[in-house]
Amino acid sequence: MANSCFHCLEPIPKGFVGSVTFEGNAQPVCCIGCQAVAETIISQGMSDYYTYRTESAGKVEELVPEQLKMLLSYDNDEIQEDFVEISGEHKEVLLSVEGISCAACAWLIEKQLLALGGIIRVDVNTSTHRAMIVWQDKHVKLSDIIKSLMEIGYKAYPFQADEEAAQKQAVAKAYIRRLGVAGLMTMQVMMFAFAMYFGMFSGMEEDFEQYFRWISLVLASPVILYSAMPFLTNAVKGLKAKQLNMDLPVSLAIFGAYGASTYATFMEVGEVYFESICMFTFLLLLGKYLEFRARLKASEFTANLQKLLPLTARKVDENNNEQHIAAKKLKLNELILVKAGETIPADGLVIKGHTTVDESMMTGEHLPVKKYQGHQVYAGTVNHDGVITLEINKIGQNTLLNQIIRLQHNALTKRPKLVEITDKVAQWFVACLLVFASITAIGWYPISPDKAFWVTISVLVATCPCALSLAIPTALTCAVASLTKKGILIKEAHVLETATKLTRVAFDKTGTLTEGRFSIKHIELLQTEYNEQQVLDFAAALERFSEHPIARAFAHITPTENLVQDVEVVAGSGIRGHWQGVNIALGKSHWFDNHASFAQATLFINNNAVADFYFNDKVKNNAETVVEQLQQAGLTCHMLTGDSSNAGKELSQQLALNSYQSACTPEIKQQAVEAWSKQGEIVAMVGDGINDSPVFNSAHLSVAMDTGADISKNTADVVLLNSDLNAILALQQVAKQTRRIVKQNLTISLLYNGSILPLAALGLIPPWIAVIGMSASSIIVIGNSLRLLKL
């Protein structure tokens, strides 16, 4: 008996004995799941699958009752709203199907589903691993369809396409339709063209030749008036906007030749070139389609992040009863249960249980993160091994996933200066091209009137600056996608340009160079009327309203005097409020100019210092390495900290920073950065606190840690989702590589356009070669940009 499984072809584990009968012979299987699937396939008369398959089937996972229960939720009308289209009595769904490996799988799936009553149509796409199914809901339910697929070893779930993905899919379909029409008609036109070519040598009667011309005109018209119409539409739009775009020379070439050939057909004079313009349009569309597919690849990571979100959620009521509802129906403060292996449907706080969570979709870090009660978890991340109950605290556009999507969109829609310059150059290039094409036509006409037209078309097409226009946008798209995978969110378009020019990096201390996880080391009472417990109570009552990392040192204290009112955060100084007519404040020791110490925080009552607080804070493990590598790259590293204690000086010496300034208010930090800028330095500021927000506006590049205050993240140009200092090195590496790729792309496109122009003008480039050259140059530029995705 063979050592591999008859169904999935994987080795049979020792000790397992099982088989199925196929064509009278016992065939071994590796598990009960494969045995059940193989028996189902054979018993339902679909054993041809094993005869004709070219790839192994996927390993079968047995369904557990919990999964079966989850499948039933797909029959809920509210849940189906997101992915099911209803047309009369029919419903249509697009399913992602795991395990499709060859054409035999498609055959097996179609046969299995069509055997169910109520299935109208099944279309399986083996390249996208999706199946489009139309069914009658009164005869069969969606859960039955998915369960039926699972019975033969295919795990299926509804495919969610966001608006952008759906739009791109529609564009791809439009390209294929136009390509189909162009390809089909071109073959017919070429057939008549060959007849006319041979007729020239064998002496075709004039009536026949004219008849063939009319037939060619009829066949070519759909190609020009349908397949090639987007080129003309885009050219007209460009002219209305007073812009010369790349479609203008192409449209002139296609519609000029079509008009001339139509005139020749009607007037029965001159030559016709229907076969050439049809083939020209077909090749042009093919090139554009390949270019579109390559661009789609470049942007696929930045698109459709919504598909990470699950469709359903387990809502838990006050009696601890579970109810499956559509995830989009979740509301603030509702409780949901998330079991091991499931994707978290909304942002929330863990209120029960503990687990580890895979947050790699946000941070790029695949190590699981431990989550306990009180920890924040995010929609789209995956719960690994625990059962947790969450209280939802963010929904809709406020979830972190939607913020990431919005930031990516903003970064990609804002245009860097270099892109604007390139676009203007491309416009001037098109204008010069039109003038040069006119000169070419005028120059060739006295020499060879027959060739003048086609040489001019070759010039118009071959030198179209498509590659020049793609050189920078594709590189930037790939760079942003690569950085997002590493947990680095780019918010402004200038980041990649600025990161390569940096000469100086300034760091905040707490939460940036240090972990920002404070613990109280020592309390020094300054007035005898308050004891240690009272000052801790006041401090804890105030810090409940603060996002500063020091507030976490008081998080374990439940204040007895917690009715602090009129709380106000004073950026760069501290936090203050009122309690029973008394002013209390916690912040820098010199806040009210009546006290000075090296304490990291001082408690004031009615502006008088009553206690000094000293904290422990651990330096980040990689801080020293990052500073060293930045210095080796020629940058100087500095620290601007609001901490007035000796901790800043000690940290500066430990990390060998070039300089440090302590007790900095937001204004002082701003002044320091502006002074460096006046000296010609290009400065990056890395911070996380509210007091860093003003200096972020003065720095050439601002970087915020995700663990920091929301206002600093809103102001910063870059947000490090994993709060890892190594991300600064990664940002520099990707920025430098992007600059190299952009230079290479510009060189390729300019060399191509510069070299092809004289060759086309001399008549050495036929139109079809010109089309291939133009498309190839664009694809080479995009392919070069795609290398950034591998960083």
Side-chain angles (χ1 to χ4, degrees), residues 732-750:
Q732 270 227 311
Q733 184 203 0
V734 173
K736 286 179 179 175
Q737 183 64 11
T738 305
R739 185 175 61 178
R740 277 193 286 273
I741 296 273
V742 165
K743 284 182 178 177
Q744 289 166 4
N745 286 350
L746 289 173
T747 305
I748 290 169
S749 54
L750 290 173

Side-chain angles (χ1 to χ4, degrees), residues 315-359:
K315 183 180 166 187
V316 184
D317 62 20
E318 57 276 8
N319 298 320
N320 220 23
N321 295 321
E322 293 178 29
Q323 180 192 2
H324 285 280
I325 65 166
K328 67 175 186 178
K329 302 283 185 185
L330 290 172
K331 294 175 182 171
L332 282 175
N333 304 321
E334 284 185 338
L335 301 183
I336 54 171
L337 186 73
V338 185
K339 297 189 176 179
E342 293 182 350
T343 303
I344 296 172
D347 288 9
L349 286 175
V350 179
I351 61 167
K352 187 178 176 185
H354 59 85
T355 186
T356 56
V357 174
D358 179 358
E359 295 184 340

